[in-house]
Amino acid sequence: MLSSIRTVPAAAVAVSATVFIGDGGSKLWEQLPALAGVVVGAIGSYVATSLTERSRWQRVRAERWDQKRLDTYASYANSLKHQINIAQRIGAARGFQHAVDPLDPEQGLAQLSEAEARRATEWETMLLVGEAETIAAARRWHESVWNVELYARGLKDDPAGWERAVGQMSRARDDFYALARRDLGILGPPPPSGNWPRVWQRQDETD
């Protein structure tokens, strides 16, 4: 039996192997298009899912930062408006024109210092989340408020200078709001600011 196995012709073995490999290779080639389709489909699905998730993450992130920026801008503006109100009320007590609801300087200066401390705290958040141009506009605004405070503190007493300082402060405020609206994607220009002094504060020129 062993001798019969040894006498199997090598050519026959080679032919058998060739036929087997040939048949398997033919079947494999027939399946390649389907396999390629599965692979391409899986890759396409992965890419589409990744892009969708990335887009959603970026949208959520942008919305979160927009809300944070809105809160910061509004909070800073409100703190500064509070400071302005105190300064103008002290100015009214000192006899400056176009200021109402006088506030005793001794009492008001303490409130002014507290308001400035609050503004300074809000400023740090502005520096973190604000756009560079808007931060610069906010700085010009609060510096113009400091100029008005010089009159409220009795360090300046020129009535004409007071009106110029208040007008400058009003324009600085408008510049800040215009840039803040741009940062937040609010279309259209900001509402026009009233002239200073206000129309209702002017004397009737017809008299």
Side-chain angles (χ1 to χ4, degrees):
M1 181 180 295
L2 292 175
S3 59
S4 63
I5 293 175
R6 292 191 185 96
T7 59
V8 174
V13 174
V15 170
S16 299
T18 302
V19 172
F20 176 77
I21 295 173
D23 290 345
S26 176
K27 291 179 181 179
L28 181 61
W29 279 106
E30 290 174 359
Q31 294 175 358
L32 277 179
L35 292 174
V38 171
V39 172
V40 171
I43 294 174
S45 177
Y46 172 78
V47 170
T49 301
S50 298
L51 291 175
T52 299
E53 287 299 315
R54 181 176 179 81
S55 177
R56 186 182 67 83
W57 178 82
Q58 290 177 335
R59 184 172 62 255
V60 171
R61 182 175 181 271
E63 291 173 355
R64 184 173 67 249
W65 276 107
D66 282 348
Q67 184 61 50
K68 180 60 178 178
R69 191 167 285 152
L70 170 61
D71 294 342
T72 299
Y73 288 173
S75 183
Y76 189 75
N78 286 331
S79 67
L80 201 50
K81 288 291 287 184
H82 177 62
Q83 192 169 343
I84 292 168
N85 178 259
I86 296 171
Q88 289 182 314
R89 291 181 62 196
I90 298 173
R94 295 190 184 279
F96 291 116
Q97 295 295 314
H98 313 301
V100 296
D101 194 15
L103 176 63
D104 178 71
E106 184 176 351
Q107 177 185 358
L109 290 177
Q111 296 182 22
L112 198 58
S113 296
E114 292 176 0
E116 167 60 19
R118 174 187 169 189
R119 183 212 62 80
T121 300
E122 299 279 357
W123 179 243
E124 298 306 315
T125 308
M126 277 286 296
L127 293 175
L128 285 173
V129 305
E131 293 287 349
E133 285 187 82
T134 309
I135 290 172
R139 179 178 284 112
R140 289 191 295 271
W141 186 16
H142 72 234
E143 287 176 351
S144 69
V145 174
W146 290 344
N147 193 30
V148 171
E149 287 185 7
L150 294 178
Y151 293 88
R153 295 179 183 276
L155 300 176
K156 290 184 177 182
D157 57 8
D158 176 31
W162 161 266
E163 292 196 16
R164 286 193 301 271
V166 173
Q168 181 185 19
M169 182 177 65
S170 181
R171 291 188 294 273
R173 169 190 174 275
D174 292 345
D175 291 343
F176 168 77
Y177 275 106
L179 289 170
R181 287 166 61 92
R182 183 202 65 181
D183 293 349
L184 298 171
I186 301 174
L187 300 179
S193 177
N195 295 322
W196 185 266
R198 307 306 186 197
V199 174
W200 59 269
Q201 292 174 315
R202 296 175 182 171
Q203 294 181 350
D204 189 351
E205 298 178 356
T206 61
D207 290 348

